[in-house]
Amino acid sequence: AHPAIAKRGSIGTSVLGRELWTLTISDNVNGAEEAEPEVRISANMHGNEKISMEMSLYLIDYLTANYGVAGHEDVTYLVDNYHLLFLPLHNPDGHVANVRTNNHGVDLNRNFPVPDGSIGEDGTWTEEPETQAMKAWGFATNCVISQDGHSGAMVVNYPWDHIYTLHVDDA
């Protein structure tokens, strides 16, 4: 509905071959790359956390419907000055089955390497297709900030939550 500012893409497929659809919102979605901050918003890594996807889709709708509209200059400013990258449904197989994990029974939130590049404590897992796609997408972009939407608890995790040492700003 808004091809001048929104462009659909795909970063790959899930275990069962479902597309991992993306949407880019920018005032220049079809042109050359601009020197604008890139912001990534992903959601529904846990298939049964439906609200995260719905909120992502709501934000997409809000931005596209209010771009260039009087009284919504903040929206127009965001779209004109940022490159907004959305992945509203990171785990389509889990979403369809209404389960936390992907179709291999893997919690995608626990399927990423830790900061030192290792694969975690036991070294026994392999990266799932959804994880590989998310990493490739991340490496192909230059996001200055990224947010992954979850639902079910009021929590803000800050890098890195593979350790349990409280951050200096915890209080």
Side-chain angles (χ1 to χ4, degrees):
H2 304 276
I5 61 166
K7 184 175 183 177
R8 185 178 67 172
S10 172
I11 62 168
T13 58
S14 69
V15 171
L16 294 179
R18 291 184 171 101
E19 288 289 333
L20 301 175
W21 295 112
T22 61
L23 188 78
T24 300
I25 298 177
S26 176
D27 65 333
N28 188 20
V29 292
N30 294 307
E33 188 170 324
E34 297 175 290
E36 294 178 337
E38 294 180 337
V39 176
R40 180 178 47 243
I41 299 172
S42 60
N44 215 184
M45 182 180 286
H46 293 135
N48 60 349
E49 295 181 4
K50 310 289 189 186
I51 294 170
S52 63
M53 181 186 72
E54 293 298 325
M55 293 305 296
S56 184
L57 294 174
Y58 175 78
L59 180 56
I60 289 168
D61 182 59
Y62 184 82
L63 292 171
T64 55
N66 290 295
Y67 177 73
V69 175
H72 295 280
E73 288 78 13
D74 54 342
V75 170
T76 303
Y77 180 86
L78 282 173
V79 174
D80 286 348
N81 293 284
Y82 291 84
H83 204 68
L84 307 168
L85 309 169
F86 290 88
L87 175 66
L89 182 52
H90 184 179
N91 183 1
D93 299 343
H95 179 82
V96 171
N98 198 32
V99 295
R100 180 180 180 90
T101 61
N102 73 351
N103 196 62
H104 285 155
V106 174
D107 181 344
L108 298 176
N109 200 40
R110 307 288 185 263
N111 193 237
F112 289 89
V114 295
D116 69 5
S118 69
I119 59 171
E121 294 176 8
D122 65 8
T124 61
W125 56 267
T126 58
E127 291 179 350
E128 293 296 304
E130 299 90 345
T131 304
Q132 293 173 23
M134 175 65 93
K135 284 178 57 182
W137 188 42
F139 291 134
T141 60
N142 296 301
C143 293
V144 296
I145 192 166
S146 180
Q147 183 268 337
D148 185 66
H150 291 261
S151 58
M154 182 66 73
V155 176
V156 174
N157 291 5
Y158 39 80
W160 302 97
D161 68 346
H162 71 286
I163 57 174
Y164 297 99
T165 304
L166 293 179
H167 190 275
V168 295
D169 294 331
D170 188 71

